[in-house]
Each structure stands twice: as C-alpha cells, then as structure tokens.
C-alpha cells in the first residue's frame, strides 16, 4: 500500500514538473516570436538607406557645404521630390542649398513640381484646384510655394542653419507672358514675407535672362543665378547677377567660367551630374557647387580630391 502511494506521488511530481517545463518552453517561444515580430528584417531598400546615412555622417561638413540637394533630396531613398518633409530631411544635413522646382498654375498659384505636366495636365494651363483634386498631386505631396518657404525660412532663421539656402529653379514656360507672370508672382510672394534677412537665404535660378533681370530689380537681397550658356561671367557680373547654374556641357565648353577672378562671391554651380568622372573633371575646373540626389557618392569623390 505504501509503495503504491509513493509511486502515485512520484508520478504526480513528475507530471507537475513536465507541465511546468512545457509552460516555460511555450512562454520563451512566445517571447522570441514577439521579439522577431517587433524587429522585422531590413529590406534591401532600408538597408541602402542606412548605408547612405552612414556615408553622409562620415562626410565632413565642408563637402556638404558644396552640395545642392536636388529637388530637396540627398538620397535616392527620398521618393517625394520637392516635398516639405523631404526639404526638412535635407536641411538637417546642412548642405549649401536645398533645390526646388517652381511652377505657376493658370490662376497664379505657385507650386513645387518637377515637370510642367502632371498626368496629362499642363500646369500653366490648369487651375490649382483641378490639380489639387488629382490623385497624383496628393500622392506627390505637392506643396504651395508659400507654405514651403514659410516653413523652410523659419528653420533657416536659426543660427545652426545660417550657411544653408533654398534654391528655387523657375521655368519660363511656353511663352514670354507666362515667364514674366511667374517671376512677378514669385517676387510678390517673397516681398510679402517681409523679412529681408530671410531673403538672404533664397537663391533663384532661371534660364531666361528677362526673368533674371526682373527678379534682380525687385529683390535686392536675393541672389539670382543665370542658367544659360550664352553669356560669360563678366557680362553677368556687369548685369548684377550673382552667379551661374549651368549644365555640365557649358563648363566643358568654357572651363574658365568655373572660377571668376576678382570676385569670390560669384557663385558657380552645376546642374545634376551622374558620372563620377564628370564630377572629378568639373571640380578640377573649379566649379564650386554641385546639385545631386546622391550625396553619399558625390562626397566620396570629393574626399578623394
């Protein structure tokens, strides 16, 4: 009788220990699964983004101060060109400038968009509300220039951003009347903001010399860059322009334009270039500022020079 009782107790203890071990194993497994669920594996895209961030951190501030964040982007992982959130990310890196494309709607609203055409709608001929109601407009987070400037210039008013500017590239459109209207609306907007110190953080570039002249006359505190290759720097200086923002071909044809003797404030910048050999060549000419949406790769070329 005693042996049966002892055996029964022994079996009960073993069963209890087995149950406890199973409970512990299940709990540990659940915790491990929860941990894996909360920290998903990095996709190739997020891994690339992390690599870009690491390389940008390794680049010194002198390199970033020669870079124009093209359409607000310093990395290809920024998928919304000209958007306000994209601009803010770029500003945190303190580049020389953050670039944006300016367009004018048929009812005189200044917006930021990379092309004159949005899903078949020609922006200069389209009213703002028609564009704003389009799904492509919302997906691209297209901002009004006024909102973009107010938020951007508020950030740039802080001391730590004193060396960074906003570069607005404007386009003449299909006819002279549109180009003049765009330039006038832009000047009106900047003057309405009222802060002359803030205007010092704005650079405007245009391939239309008439637009450049109009803006120079109306905006004494704003730097105006000419994008054409038909006028040499000395003549631009005489006309009161602040610099050049040309494509690569212009500097290859006129390498002496990259450095203007006797005026260190004359700004020479190049529009986006993809080839590392071209970057190195342009730097050898003396081109100071370069627009790119691939800052990590450009910095690596700069650091080899």
């Amino acid at each position: 009788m005693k042996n049966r009782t002892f055996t029964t107790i022994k079996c009960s203890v073993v069963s209890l220990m087995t149950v406890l071990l199973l409970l512990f194993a299940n709990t540990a497994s659940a915790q491990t699964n929860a941990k894996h669920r909360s920290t998903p594996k990095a996709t190739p895209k997020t891994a690339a983004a992390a690599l870009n961030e690491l390389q940008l951190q390794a680049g010194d501030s002198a390199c970033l101060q020669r870079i124009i964040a093209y359409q607000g982007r310093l990395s290809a992982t920024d998928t919304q060109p000209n958007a306000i959130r994209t601009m803010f990310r770029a500003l945190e890196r303190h580049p020389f400038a953050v670039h944006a494309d300016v367009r004018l709607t048929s009812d005189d609203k200044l917006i930021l968009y990379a092309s004159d055409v949005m899903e078949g709608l020609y922006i200069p001929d389209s009213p703002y509300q028609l564009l704003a109601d389009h799904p492509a407009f919302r997906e691209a987070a297209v901002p009004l220039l006024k909102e973009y400037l107010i938020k951007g210039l508020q950030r740039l008013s802080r001391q730590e951003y004193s060396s960074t500017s906003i570069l607005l590239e404007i386009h003449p459109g299909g006819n002279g009347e549109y180009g003049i209207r765009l330039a006038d609306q832009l000047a009106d907007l900047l003057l309405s903001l009222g802060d002359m110190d803030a205007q010092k953080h704005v650079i405007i570039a245009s391939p239309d010399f008439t637009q450049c002249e109009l803006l120079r006359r109306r905006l004494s505190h704003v730097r105006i860059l000419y994008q054409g290759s038909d006028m040499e720097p000395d003549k631009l200086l005489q006309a009161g322009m602040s610099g050049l923002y040309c494509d690569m071909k212009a500097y290859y044809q006129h390498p002496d334009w990259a450095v203007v003797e006797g005026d260190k404030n004359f700004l020479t910048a190049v529009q986006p270039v993809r080839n590392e050999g071209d970057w190195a060549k342009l730097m050898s000419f003396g081109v100071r500022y370069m627009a790119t949406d691939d800052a990590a790769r450009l910095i690596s070329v700069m650091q080899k020079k």
Side-chain angles (χ1 to χ4, degrees), residues 10-302:
K10 184 178 178 180
C11 290
S12 299
V13 170
V14 170
S15 298
L16 179 60
M17 291 178 67
T18 302
V19 170
L20 289 173
L21 285 171
L22 287 172
L23 285 172
F24 177 82
N26 288 337
T27 302
S29 176
Q31 289 175 340
T32 301
N33 290 337
K35 182 178 179 181
H36 286 306
R37 285 195 300 271
S38 62
T39 55
K41 291 181 180 180
T43 64
K45 183 175 180 180
T46 56
L51 180 61
N52 252 345
E53 293 299 311
L54 180 63
Q55 289 175 319
L56 280 177
Q57 289 170 5
D60 60 25
S61 59
C63 290
L64 283 164
Q65 270 296 296
R66 295 182 62 184
I67 288 176
I68 298 167
Y70 184 63
Q71 296 177 342
R73 299 178 295 176
L74 286 171
S75 167
T77 57
D78 283 321
T79 57
Q80 288 186 318
N82 299 307
I84 291 174
R85 62 173 68 93
T86 307
M87 169 190 67
F88 280 151
R89 280 196 293 270
L91 287 179
E92 290 308 309
R93 293 293 179 182
H94 305 278
F96 168 71
V98 175
H99 166 279
D101 295 292
V102 180
R103 312 284 170 180
L104 183 70
T105 66
S106 63
D107 52 350
D108 291 341
K109 298 291 185 183
L110 291 162
I111 64 172
L112 299 182
Y113 198 69
S115 169
D116 277 331
V117 179
M118 177 190 292
E119 297 290 327
L121 295 173
Y122 185 55
I123 291 175
D125 291 343
S126 303
Y128 174 77
Q129 197 56 53
L130 176 65
L131 296 165
D133 289 339
H134 198 287
F137 189 98
R138 295 191 294 273
E139 183 180 346
V142 178
L144 286 164
L145 177 59
K146 182 175 182 178
E147 179 188 10
Y148 184 98
L149 280 176
I150 288 173
K151 291 183 176 180
L153 293 176
Q154 283 176 346
R155 182 71 58 91
L156 293 178
S157 66
R158 303 177 193 172
Q159 181 61 34
E160 64 266 33
Y161 298 98
S162 60
S163 59
T164 299
S165 299
I166 293 173
L167 193 164
L168 303 175
E169 182 176 349
I170 63 174
H171 304 269
N175 60 70
E177 184 273 332
Y178 169 84
I180 296 301
R181 210 173 83 243
L182 192 163
D184 268 328
Q185 290 293 327
L186 178 55
D188 288 345
L189 173 59
L190 287 167
L191 291 171
S192 73
L193 298 179
D195 188 345
M196 294 298 106
D197 286 334
Q199 288 186 26
K200 294 176 182 178
H201 286 286
V202 177
I203 304 170
I204 301 173
S206 171
D208 186 298
F209 193 73
T210 301
Q211 282 183 324
C212 290
E213 283 190 309
L214 185 155
L215 290 162
R216 182 194 60 80
R217 288 195 302 269
R218 296 196 59 191
L219 301 168
S220 59
H221 291 75
V222 173
R223 287 168 286 177
I224 310 297
L225 309 183
Y226 183 51
Q227 291 181 266
S229 58
D230 59 338
M231 193 174 296
E232 59 191 34
D234 287 344
K235 291 183 178 179
L236 291 174
L237 276 168
Q238 292 172 11
M241 300 302 149
S242 302
L244 276 168
Y245 179 51
C246 293
D247 61 18
M248 176 183 69
K249 292 180 181 178
Y251 288 112
Y252 270 70
Q253 292 171 356
H254 309 282
D256 56 311
W257 285 11
V259 178
V260 178
E261 298 294 336
D263 195 320
K264 295 181 179 179
N265 293 321
F266 191 82
L267 192 158
T268 57
V270 66
Q271 296 168 25
V273 175
R274 302 295 177 189
N275 183 277
E276 293 183 9
D278 289 323
W279 278 332
K281 191 71 172 177
L282 290 161
M283 282 186 274
S284 74
F285 294 158
V287 176
R288 182 64 185 163
Y289 303 104
M290 300 193 173
T292 185
D293 58 7
D294 193 355
R297 197 159 59 96
L298 177 52
I299 285 173
S300 70
V301 174
M302 288 178 172

